[in-house]
Amino acid sequence: MKALVYEGPEQLSLRDAPDPVLTEDQHLVKVVAVGICGSDMHAYLGHDERRPAPLILGHEAAGVIVGGPRDGERVTLNPLVTCGICEACLTGRDNLCPERMIISMPPREGAFAQYVVMRAENLITVPGHVSLEKAALAEPIACGWHAVRLAKERLGAGSHTALVLGGGAIGLGAALSLVAQGVHDITMVEPNEGRREYLTDKCRQHAIAPDDLTSDMMFDIVIDGVGYAKTRATASAHAKPGGVIAHIGLGEATGGLDVRRMTLQEITFIGTYTYTAQDFRDTAQAIFDGRLGPLDWVETRALADGPAAFADIRAGHVAAPKIILHP
């Protein structure tokens, strides 16, 4: 099969790769749409030791099952594979499974390829009225869905305000998830002017520049979809007393939090990693039901154009929150 292979920092090539090996508990999926994630960008830049070269990246995918009893079924992929028998898995917190693996990390190749294999329980059937490009957004949006659910559980009932840091697919997915879960007063912060205009004009979000976030603007929920020291500093400065910071981004490992203020003001910090299987199913159903909006904020390119797509994202030339590749 053809695959887009990460070969070293800022080096990608489309080349022949071995076909995936199918086992009894797996299905072969022909990949139709696969998104470029921030974690793919981290690997591309050589910043993720968990993804060493050479490796097929990509984990935000949807496609069609080939062969077997479900041949021809359109599916979206939950790329997080867990053991199913540990305490975390048995209590519905399978994203914390100590054996968890996500495709695009060794030993599991990713979905920037013509084919990928997945277990049956990781495949969600996509109804005919939903495009596979939209279905591929289930994975990045599920990260925000999970973060919003945890934040709302901490705060309890009430009318809440929210600040979302970062206007990529993770941040936008979090904003859409906030609305779907009953939070409507949302401000997004995005430094890139082109993307900020796109969020405002195309996605109908209230998106502002970092300099427009004044010191008196405080929020019940702050979602950091970036994860740098600077954004963590912003999060801890703008969470209301008793508020919640839901931290999704993995930009850099340390720095930024004002722990003293968070302690004195009883601000809860929640680190959020991926999503549970139920969060993924709930997100997919919200896409199918139209509760996350038209989801028309993607740019599509051929898999062969993947190297240029990564370079354009790296240079800040992409206004759309998500590029989806077509193998």
Side-chain angles (χ1 to χ4, degrees):
M1 68 175 181
K2 293 293 185 182
L4 188 66
V5 180
Y6 165 62
E7 297 184 328
E10 301 191 44
Q11 296 179 41
L12 292 167
S13 67
L14 185 72
R15 58 180 173 85
D16 290 324
D19 290 338
V21 177
L22 191 65
T23 61
E24 288 185 6
D25 64 338
Q26 294 178 324
H27 291 280
L28 181 67
V29 178
K30 181 179 181 180
V31 180
V32 174
V34 54
I36 299 176
C37 177
S39 61
D40 296 319
M41 285 301 301
H42 291 318
Y44 169 74
L45 296 172
H47 295 166
D48 190 347
E49 69 280 358
R50 302 173 302 169
R51 291 179 166 93
L55 182 67
I56 302 173
L57 300 172
H59 58 270
E60 304 174 355
V64 180
I65 295 176
V66 177
R70 298 173 67 179
D71 181 59
E73 185 176 322
R74 304 164 75 247
V75 292
T76 186
L77 281 64
N78 176 350
L80 192 65
V81 180
T82 58
C83 75
I85 58 173
C86 69
E87 181 181 1
C89 287
L90 295 176
T91 56
R93 305 183 74 194
D94 40 297
N95 62 315
L96 302 180
C97 171
E99 302 298 325
R100 68 190 182 196
M101 294 185 294
I102 197 165
I103 63 171
S104 78
M105 287 186 185
R108 303 185 67 93
E109 299 281 10
F112 287 151
Q114 291 179 297
Y115 296 96
V116 68
V117 294
M118 288 299 297
R119 301 185 313 189
E121 56 264 42
N122 287 73
L123 299 175
I124 307 294
T125 303
V126 178
H129 71 278
V130 177
S131 73
L132 291 177
E133 289 81 8
K134 291 182 181 180
L137 294 173
E139 199 282 337
I141 296 177
C143 295
W145 186 281
H146 176 69
V148 171
R149 178 177 65 80
L150 294 180
K152 288 201 67 192
E153 287 176 358
R154 175 65 180 87
L155 287 172
S159 178
H160 305 305
T161 59
L163 175 67
V164 178
L165 304 177
I170 294 295
L172 181 55
L176 298 175
S177 298
L178 282 160
V179 173
Q181 296 186 49
V183 179
H184 298 279
D185 188 345
I186 303 164
T187 298
M188 298 189 71
V189 174
E190 168 55 48
N192 183 290
E193 182 179 1
R195 177 162 290 175
R196 192 165 61 247
E197 291 177 354
Y198 190 100
L199 290 167
T200 300
D201 299 337
K202 179 71 173 178
C203 306
R204 299 184 178 181
Q205 297 295 318
H206 175 47
I208 64 174
D211 289 345
D212 295 329
L213 186 66
T214 58
S215 60
D216 61 335
M217 298 171 69
M218 308 297 286
F219 303 86
D220 300 299
I221 300 170
V222 182
I223 295 180
D224 185 349
V226 183
Y228 281 91
K230 188 172 182 178
T231 56
R232 285 191 288 269
T234 300
S236 54
H238 290 275
K240 283 184 180 179
V244 176
I245 298 168
H247 190 272
I248 309 174
L250 289 171
E252 60 184 355
T254 60
L257 288 178
D258 184 345
V259 176
R260 181 177 177 81
R261 178 175 188 268
M262 293 170 60
T263 300
L264 293 173
Q265 301 296 339
E266 295 190 0
I267 295 166
T268 300
F269 179 92
I270 303 176
T272 69
Y273 181 72
T274 62
Y275 34 76
T276 67
Q278 187 60 53
D279 287 322
F280 192 94
R281 289 190 291 266
D282 291 343
T283 303
Q285 192 59 53
I287 290 174
F288 304 157
D289 294 343
R291 286 180 285 134
L292 294 171
L295 301 179
D296 56 355
W297 35 266
V298 304
E299 179 182 329
T300 59
R301 304 190 189 186
L303 185 66
D305 296 327
F310 272 80
D312 286 346
I313 294 171
R314 172 78 168 97
H317 294 161
V318 181
K322 178 64 61 179
I323 289 181
I324 287 186
L325 303 177
H326 291 292

